[in-house]
Amino acid sequence: KEEPYNILPVGKQVLSSRPVVIGTGPAGLFCGYQLAKLGYRPVLLERGADVDERIRDVEDFWKGGALKADSNVQFGEGGAGTFSDGKLNTLVNDKSGRNREVLRIFTQFGAPENILYDSKPHIGTDILSEVVKNMRCEIIRLGGEVRFHSCAEDFELETEGNDKKLKALIVRDVKTGETYRLPTEIAVLAIGHSARDTFLTLKNLS
């Protein structure tokens, strides 16, 4: 029996600032999309480029060009999976219906419907890049914001009793090197496995 996936109920606490999602790989995009649907108007930070610029950077590198540290096969809109030819999980043991919901959303934003019934669903990079772009446009249409070339460099915490609470992120503009303060109470780290500098920053916070 197929079970529809249900999003967790929204909280009741009023936020003083918008939630921030760090990273626009699969986890970041889907998180940003769900938050935008619920009216939270999230800010998505991505150290790399948008998918069109990123494709040009990767193609230039493959032709012998210079490697761009923040816009390559690992970093940029869509995450590393954008260039691994979009191999998707099967629905085996998908008790929550979450995987099925992911595939449904992919089709909503331009993926072929056969991924809903193929035993080994697959989306090519050419289609996946358009799906990623369409998801970003919908997040923006729903009131969210996506900032490219923006790297979360540090976390500003405030001690309240025995707890430390997030007050803001320090964000670096990758192109200019300038930093700015982005107030937020909630940050979702969807940074993937390659953001070693962020992992080191988190280690130093503890």
Side-chain angles (χ1 to χ4, degrees), residues 19-206:
V20 177
V21 180
I22 304 172
T24 61
L29 272 179
F30 276 89
C31 179
Y33 172 62
Q34 296 295 352
L35 286 171
K37 279 180 64 179
L38 293 170
Y40 284 103
R41 298 167 52 246
V43 178
L44 278 67
L45 301 178
E46 171 56 57
R47 71 169 69 196
D50 66 71
V51 71
D52 289 328
E53 181 181 344
R54 184 184 178 203
I55 287 172
R56 292 193 296 270
D57 291 340
V58 170
E59 288 178 348
D60 182 58
F61 172 70
W62 283 338
K63 292 176 182 176
L67 172 68
K68 292 190 176 181
D70 296 299
S71 180
N72 50 56
V73 171
Q74 291 181 308
F75 292 119
E77 185 179 23
T82 303
F83 293 95
S84 64
D85 217 19
K87 296 169 185 64
L88 307 173
N89 284 337
T90 65
L91 306 182
V92 176
N93 297 323
D94 184 26
K95 295 179 180 179
S96 68
R98 183 170 53 185
N99 282 7
R100 177 76 179 182
E101 179 68 1
V102 165
L103 298 183
R104 187 196 65 76
I105 292 172
F106 272 141
T107 62
Q108 176 185 337
F109 290 106
E113 291 193 358
N114 65 288
I115 66 172
L116 296 174
Y117 53 79
D118 280 352
S119 60
K120 294 182 179 179
H122 172 272
I123 305 175
T125 296
D126 55 337
I127 297 175
L128 191 58
S129 59
E130 290 301 314
V131 171
V132 165
K133 194 188 314 183
N134 292 339
M135 289 187 70
R136 179 228 307 167
C137 290
E138 180 65 5
I139 291 170
I140 294 171
R141 188 189 72 80
L142 292 170
E145 183 181 350
V146 183
R147 302 181 187 181
F148 295 106
H149 305 291
S150 300
C151 180
E153 196 163 71
D154 207 351
F155 302 82
E156 183 181 308
L157 305 178
E158 184 176 87
T159 301
E160 293 185 9
N162 295 325
D163 299 323
K164 289 183 179 180
K165 295 188 176 182
L166 180 66
K167 303 300 291 184
L169 298 173
I170 306 302
V171 183
R172 173 173 55 87
D173 185 309
V174 171
K175 288 193 170 183
T176 66
E178 297 179 353
T179 60
Y180 63 90
R181 184 178 182 272
L182 178 60
T184 187
E185 301 159 72
I186 296 175
V188 179
L189 276 71
I191 56 177
H193 73 295
S194 299
R196 295 177 181 84
D197 51 348
T198 308
F199 285 111
L200 181 59
T201 299
L202 293 169
K203 179 178 181 295
N204 292 335
L205 284 175
S206 59

